[in-house]
RNA sequence: GCGGACGUGGCGGAAUUGGUAUACGCGCUAGAUUUAGGUUCUAGUGUCUUUACGGCGUGAGAGUUCGAGUCUCUCCGUCCGCACCA
């Protein structure tokens, strides 16, 4: 068999064979250990991109390896199929969202299959299909029953382009929508929320259980949850029964309060404002409301504020201090009011300075000797309390709890834990999403749809005319329904759920994907969960991963599953980047085919261009279409390249020359194995020659290294390097008629099987095997084969390598020293020198320390 | 500003507990095969000089050690996340 390697022929053939053999199906429960390998499911945009390819190939190698290691593996795939692009396509092209989505799924499923992924397609789910979203709705009702779903009139993040509401997590630091990029506006609407804040503490604490997660993802979640502990303190308003509550992490500075500030939106503002100040206050509120979120939170923005004319009593010392409103106090955080301690808080300091408010020093640095210090900036560190009545002389660290206890005994405050995390706003004024199963009745109020009436079907034949509100709100036939309680005419909720809800439980559905009675059965979920390896992009570090953790804890508390955390190990794969050329004067990207790579110039202006590696995208003209790569080289080459080029968590720089390199490597393997002549193989003659021993060692070294690379941190790049070394060793081997050689060839194919599954099976068959290589166990490491007769001993003088000698393996320290001392390299340097010390590291080196 | 990660040839990247720095690949150079190009194969490829039994070399500088890419400290740089959170 001396034909050329043709990926196109063999890949289609083996994909068909595997399908017929059912190799990718999930085994029923048996006594094998389980392994759940999961990739984040894609949005069915219609076209596979390189980021997908990388994601799914990584998971596939892990799944295939684990199967060879004797695990029963669950490796499913599905579609995160609700979402806005389908509506946009409907508007732009007149295709109904459902039709567009299902077409895209067909297309992308075919593309995924071409990659040779060992996915159990019998468990495929699509979040937009009624048999899936029935259970999304059912789960929502569970939340509702558990008091974890509620409605609230709220100032929400309104995306003026997509015409919908966004969760806080979906608005970036500049106040822009994560999807449309539009500046988000504030709007008051009655919306559904999920009470994720009930789980804030557990979501934070359980990060410690996630040993297999990248540190940075955990840090990001920790910051997002934003726990801080301090005190809730109440300042009585003068001439009123009401009090202003503040949250502070520094109760020890309460004697330094020189004013109190309310957020402009705070409801007490109207009550405390005096007639004299009313015009000023109203003007200020007007001014602040005109500012965009971005302006208001800008870094170097001045802290503006005005007096309300009202005053409060400092409950610790009875002093009367003014109430102000200021733009830097956020209504959404804490109580929407702060106590102003300019001497010991950087923001208050700046604000007081700009608005001529007094300062009062109450914490003295430990190294200062008097209290008259002139502050140039706020002193925010710990120190000794002064000007604080009964607390004078106490360290400020102790003072925190002492002041809290005092506040409790005097009834003006208590200890308080505050989180930055807000409840999850899930209402979306969109059509293509999961309907919220709620009904509004004039008599009965808000009524949940009875479980037996689920799913609330999303009508699929809809007309889209232009961007704007959801068509559901206009579909009277759908909207009008009888109240399940009193049978009188009522109305359905026309908002749909945030699509992040759909993806917060799909990993549970895979464990029992066809269940028509419930979302999933407890035994199956407990058998497969948690996910042993989850793979996906870092962009989901907060949103999807936090929501999924929240959902898991809620369904656990509803006794639907018995685990605390959904994902045991998380691998965040790096981006796939490609070379882009940008004109730094005009900030325009130039397509690569218009450029001479030797001398990159802007074809229009003639400016020299700079090249960088950036994430592949249409707007940068640097995308590489996976379909073209598959056509030219085949799936095995694409897989090998992606795995070899960089470690999985690092960004990967696409490079056609390196793709060629992998293609060459697969061709070398093809030629190596096709060139094998089985007829000349001799019977084992017992004792191995040196060549045979060396080859056998190379083979087992490869087994050892690849196994370690796949067990630990998934170092696919070094695993492939080991495959190359083994293939080089086999190519150079002289003993081609030895059983060691042909055994080595077989092991090479077995080691290659998870990476290049089609080529490995084809060559395996060519060696006369009738069973697919993917049903064979991973080669067993024979430690004895790694033993060497001779080792290379490094001779060092004063820690510098001066030569090497070959010595028998396992020599004693004394012998090693003797060999080293007699070596030519050592002799040159120790001749006539006084040897101070000799360090012998067994099997490694001998170092002579000589008198200088 | 706060938090995290990282810095190794021309390039992507390797290096158990501190023990021969640059594995593997790309690129490049030379040669062989080929009508030619491509493919394939062989050899070479950190750097400097006085080409050696040599010097220098893992962002910079110091330290610990017989010995440091690896450990400690200081500094520089890049990337990422958060950012008025009281």
């Amino acid at each position: 068999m001396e034909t050329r390697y043709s990926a196109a022929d063999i890949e289609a053939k083996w994909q068909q064979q595997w399908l017929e053999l059912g190799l990718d199906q999930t085994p029923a429960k048996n006594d094998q250990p389980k392994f759940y390998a999961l990739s984040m499911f894609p949005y069915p945009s219609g076209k596979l991109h390189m980021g997908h390819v990388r994601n799914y190939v990584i998971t596939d190698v892990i799944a295939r390896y684990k199967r060879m290691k004797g695990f029963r593996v669950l490796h499913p795939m599905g579609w995160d199929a609700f979402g806005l692009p389908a509506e946009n396509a409907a508007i732009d092209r007149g295709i109904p969202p459902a039709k567009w989505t299902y077409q895209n799924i067909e297309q992308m499923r075919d593309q995924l299959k071409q990659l040779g992924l060992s996915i159990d397609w019998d468990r495929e789910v699509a979040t937009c299909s009624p048999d899936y979203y029935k259970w999304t709705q059912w789960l929502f009702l569970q939340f509702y029953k558990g008091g974890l779903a509620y409605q609230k009139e709220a100032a929400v993040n309104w995306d003026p382009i997509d015409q919908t509401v966004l969760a806080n997590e979906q608005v970036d630091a500049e106040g822009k929508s994560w999807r449309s990029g539009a500046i988000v506006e504030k709007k008051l609407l009655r919306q559904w929320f999920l009470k994720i804040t009930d789980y804030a503490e557990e979501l934070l604490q359980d990060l410690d259980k996630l040993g297999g997660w990248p540190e940075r993802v955990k840090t990001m979640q920790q910051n997002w949850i934003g726990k801080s502990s301090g005190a809730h303190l109440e300042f009585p308003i003068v001439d009123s029964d009401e009090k202003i509550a503040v949250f502070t992490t520094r109760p020890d500075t309460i004697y330094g309060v020189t004013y109190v500030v309310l957020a402009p939106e705070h409801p007490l503002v109207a009550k405390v404002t005096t007639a004299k100040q009313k015009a000023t206050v109203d003007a200020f509120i007007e001014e602040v409301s005109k500012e965009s979120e971005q302006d208001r939170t800008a870094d170097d923005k001045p802290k503006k504020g005005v007096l309300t004319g009202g005053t409060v009593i400092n409950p610790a010392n009875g002093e009367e201090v003014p109430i102000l409103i200021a733009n830097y106090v956020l209504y959404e955080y804490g109580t929407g009011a702060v106590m102003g301690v300019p001497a010991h808080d950087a923001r208050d300091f700046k604000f007081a300075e700009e608005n001529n408010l007094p300062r009062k020093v109450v914490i003295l640095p430990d190294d200062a000797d008097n209290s008259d210090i002139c502050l140039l900036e706020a002193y925010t560190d710990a120190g000794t309390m002064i000007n604080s009545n009964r607390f004078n002389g106490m360290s400020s660290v102790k003072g925190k709890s002492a002041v809290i206890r005092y506040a409790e005994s005097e009834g003006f405050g208590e200890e308080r834990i505050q989180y930055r995390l807000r409840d999850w706003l899930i209402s979306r004024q969109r059509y293509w999403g999961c309907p919220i199963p709620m009904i509004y009745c004039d008599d009965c109020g808000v009524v949940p749809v009875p479980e037996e009436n689920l799913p609330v079907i999303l009508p699929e034949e809809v007309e889209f005319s232009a961007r704007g509100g959801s068509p559901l709100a206009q579909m009277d036939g759908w909207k009008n329904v009888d109240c399940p309680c009193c049978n009188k005419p009522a109305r359905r909720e026309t908002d749909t759920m945030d699509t992040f809800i759909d993806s917060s439980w799909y990993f549970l559905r895979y464990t029992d994907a066809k269940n028509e009675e419930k979302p999933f059965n407890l035994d199956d979920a407990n058998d497969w969960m948690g996910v042993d390896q989850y793979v996906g992009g870092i962009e989901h570090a907060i949103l999807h991963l936090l929501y999924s953790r929240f959902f898991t804890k809620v369904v656990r508390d509803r006794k639907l599953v018995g685990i605390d955390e959904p994902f045991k190990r998380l691998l965040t794969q790096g981006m796939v980047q490609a070379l882009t050329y940008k004109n730094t004067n005009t900030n325009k990207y130039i397509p690569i085919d218009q450029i001479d790579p030797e001398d990159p110039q802007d074809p229009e202006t003639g400016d020299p261009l700079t090249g960088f590696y950036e994430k592949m995208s249409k707007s940068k003209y640097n995308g590489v279409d996976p379909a073209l790569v598959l056509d030219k080289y085949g799936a095995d080459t694409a897989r090998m390249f992606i795995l070899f080029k960089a470690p999985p968590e690092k960004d990967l720089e696409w490079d056609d020359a390196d793709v060629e390199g992998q293609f060459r490597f697969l061709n070398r393997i093809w030629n190596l194995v096709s060139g094998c002549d089985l007829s000349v193989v001799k019977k084992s003659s017992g004792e191995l020659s040196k060549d045979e021993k060396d080859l056998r060692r190379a083979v087992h070294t490869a087994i050892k290294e690849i196994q370690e690379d796949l067990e630990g941190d998934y170092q696919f790049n070094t695993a492939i390097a080991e495959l190359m070394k083994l293939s080089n060793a086999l190519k150079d081997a002289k003993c081609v008629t030895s059983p060691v050689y042909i055994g080595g060839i077989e092991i090479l194919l077995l080691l290659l099987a998870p990476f290049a599954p089609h080529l490995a099976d084809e060559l395996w068959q060519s060696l006369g095997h009738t069973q697919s290589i993917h049903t064979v166990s991973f080669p067993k490491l024979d430690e004895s084969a790694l033993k060497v007769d001779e080792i290379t001993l490094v001779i060092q003088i004063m820690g510098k390598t001066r030569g090497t000698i070959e010595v028998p393996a396992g020599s004693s320290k004394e012998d090693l020293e003797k060999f080293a001392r007699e070596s030519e390299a050592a002799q040159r340097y120790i001749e006539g020198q006084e040897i101070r010390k000799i360090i012998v590291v067994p099997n490694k080196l001998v170092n002579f320390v000589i008198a200088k």
Side-chain angles (χ1 to χ4, degrees):
Chain A
M1 154 185 165
E2 189 67 64
T3 49
R4 283 176 59 101
Y5 168 46
S6 162
D9 294 341
I10 67 174
E11 292 183 356
K13 166 183 150 191
W14 285 104
Q15 283 163 19
Q16 186 57 36
Q17 292 250 345
W18 299 334
L19 184 67
E20 285 164 18
L21 291 169
L23 286 189
D24 303 331
Q25 279 167 16
T26 312
K29 191 168 183 179
N30 58 24
D31 53 6
Q32 287 176 297
K34 69 98 183 179
F35 192 92
Y36 188 173
L38 183 66
S39 303
M40 290 181 185
F41 65 168
Y43 178 79
S45 58
K47 231 178 175 186
L48 205 62
H49 60 69
M50 277 302 171
H52 293 133
V53 176
R54 192 176 192 193
N55 193 168
Y56 305 137
V57 166
I58 288 171
T59 316
D60 189 54
V61 173
I62 296 170
R64 288 183 180 276
Y65 171 72
K66 289 291 176 185
R67 283 195 201 98
M68 292 180 88
K69 285 299 250 183
F71 288 80
R72 61 191 166 95
V73 171
L74 172 57
H75 182 213
M77 182 59 71
W79 311 98
D80 189 11
F82 274 136
L84 213 42
E87 290 186 45
N88 292 339
I91 295 160
D92 297 342
R93 275 172 275 173
I95 314 168
K99 192 177 169 202
W100 183 82
T101 303
Y102 285 112
Q103 277 174 359
N104 287 348
I105 288 176
E106 291 298 317
Q107 211 168 311
M108 282 178 81
R109 191 193 299 114
D110 283 348
Q111 287 192 299
L112 285 180
K113 285 185 173 174
Q114 274 182 47
L115 285 170
L117 304 174
S118 61
I119 287 166
D120 180 358
W121 287 103
D122 290 348
R123 291 178 185 244
E124 178 180 357
V125 302
T127 58
C128 65
S129 124
D131 56 20
Y132 183 89
Y133 70 67
K134 172 178 179 178
W135 301 112
T136 307
Q137 292 171 347
W138 186 87
L139 286 166
F140 177 87
L141 294 179
Q142 297 297 303
F143 276 70
Y144 183 75
K145 284 179 192 161
L148 293 167
Y150 67 95
Q151 271 189 305
K152 178 171 85 172
E153 180 96 355
V156 295
N157 303 304
W158 179 257
D159 182 329
I161 291 195
D162 285 344
Q163 295 272 308
T164 190
V165 158
L166 300 172
N168 286 344
E169 288 85 342
Q170 294 164 343
V171 181
D172 69 13
E174 278 118 46
K176 291 181 181 165
S177 163
W178 73 298
R179 183 187 286 283
S180 74
I183 300 280
V184 168
E185 297 166 0
K186 288 282 173 197
K187 197 168 174 177
L188 221 58
L189 284 176
R190 191 158 179 84
Q191 305 282 291
W192 284 99
F193 288 83
L194 295 189
K195 231 174 178 180
I196 191 171
T197 51
D198 270 14
Y199 286 81
E201 187 61 29
E202 201 194 339
L203 287 167
L204 180 67
Q205 292 302 324
D206 283 359
L207 288 173
D208 289 343
K209 293 182 184 169
L210 302 176
W213 280 42
E215 232 17 78
R216 64 177 184 142
V217 174
K218 290 196 274 184
T219 309
M220 282 162 75
Q221 293 214 351
Q222 192 179 331
N223 291 342
W224 187 262
I225 295 166
K227 179 180 182 175
S228 55
S229 50
H232 175 90
L233 302 173
E234 292 180 338
F235 289 65
I237 299 169
V238 173
D239 298 329
S240 162
D241 294 338
E242 305 226 39
K243 294 170 179 170
I244 293 179
V246 303
F247 172 73
T248 178
T249 54
R250 292 296 303 272
D252 52 310
T253 62
I254 188 167
Y255 291 90
V257 171
T258 54
Y259 58 93
V260 164
V261 196
L262 298 174
E265 303 90 339
H266 199 288
L268 283 175
V269 171
K271 289 184 182 157
V272 300
T273 302
T274 56
K276 196 181 154 204
Q277 287 299 104
K278 188 162 189 322
T280 316
V281 166
D282 288 349
F284 182 77
I285 292 173
E286 174 72 19
E287 187 188 328
V288 170
S289 67
K290 267 194 229 150
E291 283 181 339
S292 70
E293 186 83 351
Q294 192 175 10
D295 288 342
R296 221 180 133 173
T297 56
D299 203 4
D300 47 358
K301 186 184 81 78
K303 300 191 187 313
K304 291 180 291 189
V306 295
L307 289 163
T308 60
T311 55
V312 289
I313 301 294
N314 181 336
N317 59 11
E319 277 177 24
E320 191 171 329
V321 294
I323 306 168
L324 292 92
I325 60 171
N327 58 356
Y328 78 98
V329 175
L330 307 174
Y331 181 54
E332 300 82 41
Y333 185 76
T335 59
V338 299
M339 60 183 210
V341 187
H344 305 293
D345 181 280
R347 294 153 304 182
D348 294 344
F349 185 94
K350 206 175 157 203
F351 180 67
E353 208 169 43
E354 285 163 11
N355 295 280
N356 292 317
L357 291 158
R359 291 198 294 258
K360 188 176 160 198
V361 174
V362 292
I363 307 289
L364 192 62
D366 289 334
D367 54 0
D369 46 12
N370 68 69
S371 56
D372 276 344
I373 45 169
C374 179
L375 287 179
L376 294 172
E377 56 178 12
Y379 179 74
T380 57
D381 292 338
T384 305
M385 295 174 72
I386 56 169
N387 298 325
S388 301
N389 295 352
R390 54 195 290 158
F391 299 101
N392 284 341
M394 187 181 279
S395 86
S396 63
V397 178
K398 279 188 181 167
K400 280 190 187 182
S401 49
V403 169
I404 290 171
R405 280 197 302 277
Y406 178 61
E408 280 166 353
S409 69
E410 297 293 308
F412 68 82
E414 61 186 16
E415 188 168 16
R416 179 66 61 90
I417 307 282
Q418 187 70 43
Y419 299 92
R420 203 183 81 113
L421 184 70
R422 306 262 69 90
D423 275 340
W424 177 12
L425 191 160
I426 59 147
S427 299
R428 296 289 181 275
Q429 292 68 49
R430 305 300 334 166
Y431 157 72
W432 191 234
C434 174
I436 297 174
M438 286 290 171
I439 291 169
Y440 300 100
C441 170
D442 291 335
D443 294 342
C444 310
V446 181
V447 182
V449 173
E451 279 181 27
E452 60 272 19
N453 293 353
L454 295 182
V456 175
I457 293 279
L458 185 68
E460 295 196 349
E461 292 305 317
V462 287
E463 293 278 316
F464 278 89
S465 46
R467 264 169 217 258
S470 160
L472 290 182
Q474 274 96 58
M475 296 178 73
D476 291 340
W478 181 81
K479 196 168 97 180
N480 295 326
V481 65
D482 291 342
C483 170
C485 294
C486 65
N487 282 323
K488 284 189 197 144
R491 300 167 310 281
R492 287 192 190 283
E493 169 67 82
T494 58
D495 285 351
T496 54
M497 296 185 212
D498 183 358
T499 57
F500 276 104
I501 298 213
D502 308 325
S503 55
S504 291
W505 73 281
Y506 78 110
F507 46 89
L508 290 160
R509 180 69 178 173
Y510 281 144
T511 65
D512 186 19
K514 295 278 181 278
N515 199 324
E516 292 178 5
E517 308 299 317
K518 26 181 144 171
F520 46 86
N521 145 22
L522 179 69
D523 288 342
D524 287 319
N526 282 345
D527 179 31
W528 287 111
M529 292 297 290
V531 174
D532 294 281
Q533 184 62 57
Y534 197 29
V535 183
I538 186 76
E539 66 273 21
H540 293 110
I542 296 174
L543 300 170
H544 163 61
L545 291 169
L546 188 66
Y547 295 149
S548 297
R549 295 182 59 221
F550 167 49
F551 254 67
T552 301
K553 289 173 191 303
V554 173
V555 295
R556 173 204 61 194
D557 290 346
R558 305 291 300 179
K559 309 272 186 268
L560 297 170
V561 70
I563 49 144
D564 297 323
E565 285 290 338
F567 312 123
K568 289 192 207 164
R569 283 178 49 145
L570 172 69
L571 173 70
T572 50
Q573 105 253 14
M575 291 182 293
V576 182
Q577 303 183 317
L579 198 55
T580 56
Y581 286 97
K582 192 174 178 178
N583 183 333
T584 45
N585 295 325
T586 59
N587 259 343
K588 272 188 184 161
Y589 286 94
I590 315 292
I592 284 186
D593 54 16
Q594 300 180 13
I595 292 166
D596 169 15
E598 296 295 310
D599 177 28
Q601 283 186 356
D602 188 323
E604 281 177 27
T605 65
D607 290 334
L609 300 175
T610 359
F612 332 60
Y613 278 92
E614 288 186 276
K615 186 177 181 177
M616 286 186 181
S617 81
K618 264 187 213 154
S619 60
K620 291 172 186 158
Y621 309 107
N622 68 345
V624 178
D625 185 351
L628 297 177
V629 178
L630 292 187
D631 282 352
K632 190 166 176 195
Y633 300 102
D636 284 339
T637 297
R639 294 169 60 114
M640 293 288 283
F641 163 76
I642 278 182
L643 295 164
F644 179 67
K645 178 78 182 177
E649 67 283 357
K650 280 194 70 168
D651 289 345
L652 179 152
E653 295 173 3
W654 189 270
D655 180 354
D656 290 331
D658 284 320
V659 181
E660 291 275 358
Q662 283 306 315
F663 185 62
R664 284 205 291 268
F665 173 56
L666 293 185
N667 272 287
R668 283 202 295 274
I669 292 189
W670 177 272
N671 295 332
L672 179 70
V673 181
S674 321
C676 272
D677 186 352
L678 295 172
S679 65
V680 301
V681 176
K682 292 178 183 143
K683 283 239 167 95
S684 168
S685 55
E687 189 71 7
L688 296 181
S689 69
K690 183 170 185 308
D691 279 352
E692 288 173 315
K693 273 190 187 167
D694 286 346
L695 184 61
R696 191 165 123 82
R697 188 177 333 107
V699 168
H700 283 267
T701 304
I703 297 174
K704 178 169 185 279
E705 296 295 327
I706 291 172
Q707 190 164 294
E708 282 173 6
D709 286 339
L710 295 182
E711 293 286 346
D713 290 326
Y714 300 124
Q715 308 259 23
F716 306 113
N717 55 333
T718 52
I720 290 176
E722 291 299 328
L723 285 172
M724 290 170 168
K725 282 189 209 170
L726 176 56
S727 130
N728 291 343
L730 285 163
K731 195 180 63 189
D732 295 341
K734 305 275 187 303
C735 48
V736 293
T737 59
S738 160
V740 172
Y741 178 79
I742 196 70
I745 294 278
E746 295 199 337
I747 287 177
L748 173 68
L749 293 179
L750 287 166
L751 296 175
L752 181 70
F755 301 92
H758 313 87
L759 177 66
D761 226 350
E762 176 73 15
L763 292 175
W764 185 251
Q765 188 189 42
S766 79
L767 292 177
H769 294 284
T770 49
Q771 296 260 320
S772 164
I773 196 169
H774 302 292
T775 63
V776 181
S777 292
F778 197 77
K780 216 168 149 41
L781 173 62
D782 181 353
E783 295 277 354
S784 72
L786 300 175
K787 285 210 184 103
V788 283
D789 297 331
E790 284 200 319
I791 58 135
T792 304
L793 186 71
V794 174
I795 312 292
Q796 292 189 339
I797 312 293
M798 303 294 282
K800 278 197 162 66
T801 301
R802 294 300 181 181
T804 60
I805 53 171
E806 298 297 312
V807 299
S811 301
S812 67
K813 277 194 164 194
E814 291 72 27
D815 285 345
L816 288 175
E817 184 182 326
K818 190 165 134 283
F819 292 134
R821 195 185 279 273
E822 287 165 358
S823 71
E824 202 200 330
Q827 282 298 318
R828 277 202 306 275
Y829 286 89
I830 59 177
E831 179 80 60
Q833 300 287 332
E834 182 200 338
I835 297 173
R836 279 269 185 79
K837 198 173 167 186
I838 300 174
I839 287 124
V840 181
V841 182
N843 284 320
K844 280 254 165 68
L845 63 83
V846 175
N847 184 13
F848 294 92
V849 185
I850 55 180
K852 78 173 256 208

